[in-house]
Structures are given as structure tokens and as C-alpha cells.
Amino acid sequence: MLALGIKPDHITYVGVLSACTHGGLVEQGRSYFDLMKNAHKIDPTLSHYACMVDLFGRAGLLQEAYKFVENMPMEPDVIAWGSLLSSCKVYKNVDLAKVAAERLLLIEPNNSGAYSALANVYSSCGKWDDAAKIRKLMKARGVKKEQGLSWVQIQNKTHVFGVEDGLHPQKDEIYKMMDKIWKEIKKMGFAPDTESVLHDLGVEVKDQILRYHSEKLAIAFGIISTPENTTLRIMKNLRVCNDCHNAIKFISKLVDREIIVRDATRFHHFKDGSCSCKDYW
């Protein structure tokens, strides 16, 4: 655009900063943010600041992300605090997660994601009592957690799955296929990420819960319902968990298929054991 003499506008920079965020390009993102303000005289909006918070947070620069939120010239919104909270969950920063959750809930008291994220941070750090208190608080305030759902379209019909879903008419075939896949990918070197199950449970129980996550069930159904080599396209309403992301890489290699997953964050294109996001999402 610059080479052609086309001046970028604020929307252009949202796209550029978002790309830097998903690519982990911290210094480039910082440079483009400065270029936008100083060279093109564009006043950053909430969207630009949210991109920068996300950029720093995903890279593990949590204090820098926090300072960026605190120094915003306008009142930070749910997206900015939510982005910081999500990063705190990934990097298990309890103290900053509490601050982000509290500030987010001041703006949006019934935001279930804030409660869930904070409870998950506590759980991931082994603070089971604190996690239980947050979940009790959710219940007392009548805040309901959004259920994780995945869906796949086969022959113009949409099939929806929840975790450990037993409602699908072909559930026996689906579970049989998933059990087979689970055994095979373990032989290939896959190790279930039991830390992804943020409850104080035994390893075997955690293994079973992970095996029947909604996106895995959707993929198993897709495999038994389509010809070999068919690309599978899965939609997910929440962020795909670390265990599912790793498992799908192995599954794509095992069944020799391309698997495209669109979660709440981005597209993931799995092929031959790797993902287009390069494990950065």
C-alpha cells in the first residue's frame, strides 16, 4: 500500500496489528503501532490497543501488557481486560489474573468467561480451594458458564457435539472410532495433557475426559461419515484446548487428512502432523 501511495487507515492497522499478534511478531507490532501514530497521524482506537495488549500477552510479556492497558488514554473495555486475562491463564499468573478479572467484572458483572478463566488459573496452579470458591460465586450470582460445543456439516446437515456427548444417534460408532484413534496416536508418541483438565481428579478420569472433548468427537464422526482423504471442517465456539490441538496434529497424520478447525480465536489448518498456527494461538 505504501509503495503504491495508498495511505493506510485505522482499519488497515487493525489488520496489520492482528497479524503481528497471531504471528508473535512483537517488535514489528510495536513498530507498526508507532508508525500509525507518528507517521500517519492516526489516533489509536480501543481495537488497536486491544491488539497490542494481545500481542504482548501472547508473547508472555504480561507486565508490559498490563502497563499498556493502564496507560490507555481511554477507559479499557472488556476486550482489553479479557485479552490480558486469557494470557494470564496461559502463563499461570494468578496475581495479574485477579486484577484483570476484577476490572473486567466491574464492566460486565455477568461475564462467565472472566469467572471461568480465573477459576482455571487457580486450578492450573493447584489452588483447588480458590477455584472452588470462584465456581461457587458464579453459582450464587446465577452466572452460567458457556458450554463448549463443536460442530461439523456432513451432507448439508449440521451435527453438534458437547464434551462426552451421548446424544448423537451414532454415538457408539463415534466413541469406538475415538477410542481406536486415541490408542493409535499414543503409539505415535502423543501424550495427553492432563493439566488441561482443571479439576482435582485422577489421571485415568482426566484421560477419559480429554478423549471425548467435543472437537475430537466431531472429528471421529467426520472420519466415519466421509470418504478417505476428505478434508474435515470443524467449528468450535470456544478456544481449542492445548490437548485437542496437539491431538489433532497427530490425528491428521494418522488418517492422512487435512483437518480445518475454526475456533473462537482463529483458523487452524492441520496437515501431516502440523498446524498452520505453528502452535502459537
Side-chain angles (χ1 to χ4, degrees):
M1 287 177 72
L2 294 176
L4 292 171
I6 302 170
K7 185 182 177 182
D9 60 12
H10 68 285
I11 296 173
T12 308
Y13 273 107
V14 169
V16 171
L17 295 174
S18 180
C20 290
T21 295
H22 286 292
L25 307 175
V26 176
E27 291 309 315
Q28 288 92 327
R30 204 194 306 265
S31 175
Y32 280 121
F33 187 80
D34 291 339
L35 184 71
M36 176 183 70
K37 289 194 303 178
N38 302 327
H40 293 123
K41 307 301 179 184
I42 297 172
D43 292 329
T45 66
L46 280 169
S47 295
H48 300 114
Y49 281 105
C51 284
M52 294 302 290
V53 172
D54 204 15
L55 174 70
F56 295 135
R58 285 172 188 264
L61 304 172
L62 299 183
Q63 288 301 325
E64 190 161 355
Y66 178 54
K67 287 179 183 176
F68 210 86
V69 176
E70 288 285 83
N71 293 328
M72 286 170 59
M74 69 281 283
E75 192 67 30
D77 62 0
V78 169
I79 296 173
W81 287 117
S83 178
L84 180 60
L85 180 55
S86 294
S87 297
C88 290
K89 184 171 73 170
V90 172
Y91 289 100
K92 301 179 182 179
N93 188 317
V94 174
D95 294 335
L96 201 50
K98 286 170 65 178
V99 173
E102 286 169 3
R103 296 290 291 272
L104 195 160
L105 290 170
L106 284 174
I107 304 169
E108 204 171 275
N110 292 323
N111 188 304
S112 62
Y115 290 99
S116 296
L118 184 56
N120 289 344
V121 174
Y122 282 133
S123 297
S124 65
C125 295
K127 297 178 179 290
W128 304 112
D129 291 340
D130 290 325
K133 287 177 184 176
I134 296 298
R135 294 191 174 102
K136 284 180 182 177
L137 185 62
M138 276 183 79
K139 193 172 182 180
R141 293 179 177 176
V143 179
K144 292 185 178 180
K145 179 183 176 183
E146 184 179 5
Q147 182 186 0
L149 297 172
S150 298
W151 56 98
V152 58
Q153 193 173 61
I154 305 291
Q155 295 181 345
N156 296 320
K157 184 177 179 182
T158 302
H159 300 261
V160 184
F161 299 89
V163 63
E164 296 188 282
D165 200 309
L167 299 176
H168 197 279
Q170 291 175 257
K171 64 180 184 298
D172 292 339
E173 294 174 67
I174 295 167
Y175 273 63
K176 187 176 179 180
M177 173 55 73
M178 195 57 239
D179 289 341
K180 180 182 177 183
I181 290 171
W182 200 243
K183 288 178 183 176
E184 291 300 319
I185 62 175
K186 280 184 175 181
K187 290 177 185 177
M188 295 167 65
F190 169 72
D193 179 17
T194 52
E195 289 189 8
S196 291
V197 182
L198 301 172
H199 296 280
D200 194 9
L201 302 168
V203 175
E204 288 184 9
V205 178
K206 288 185 175 184
D207 184 285
Q208 181 174 317
I209 291 172
L210 290 171
R211 192 187 325 164
Y212 303 134
H213 270 192
S214 64
E215 49 268 66
K216 295 189 182 91
L217 295 179
I219 289 169
F221 174 69
I223 291 170
I224 64 176
S225 304
T226 58
E228 289 184 11
N229 301 319
T230 302
T231 297
L232 299 178
R233 292 175 172 83
I234 312 297
M235 300 290 287
K236 168 99 186 202
N237 65 330
L238 303 177
R239 181 184 187 272
V240 65
C241 77
N242 293 337
D243 183 80
C244 283
H245 191 271
N246 196 26
I248 298 169
K249 288 194 292 183
F250 279 90
I251 295 170
S252 70
K253 192 173 184 68
L254 174 69
V255 301
D256 193 24
R257 296 197 191 206
E258 293 183 35
I259 303 173
I260 299 169
V261 178
R262 176 64 169 105
D263 70 359
T265 305
R266 64 180 295 162
F267 278 97
H268 299 268
H269 188 171
F270 298 91
K271 183 179 180 181
D272 195 31
S274 62
C275 179
S276 58
C277 78
K278 296 181 174 60
D279 299 337
Y280 192 91
W281 82 106

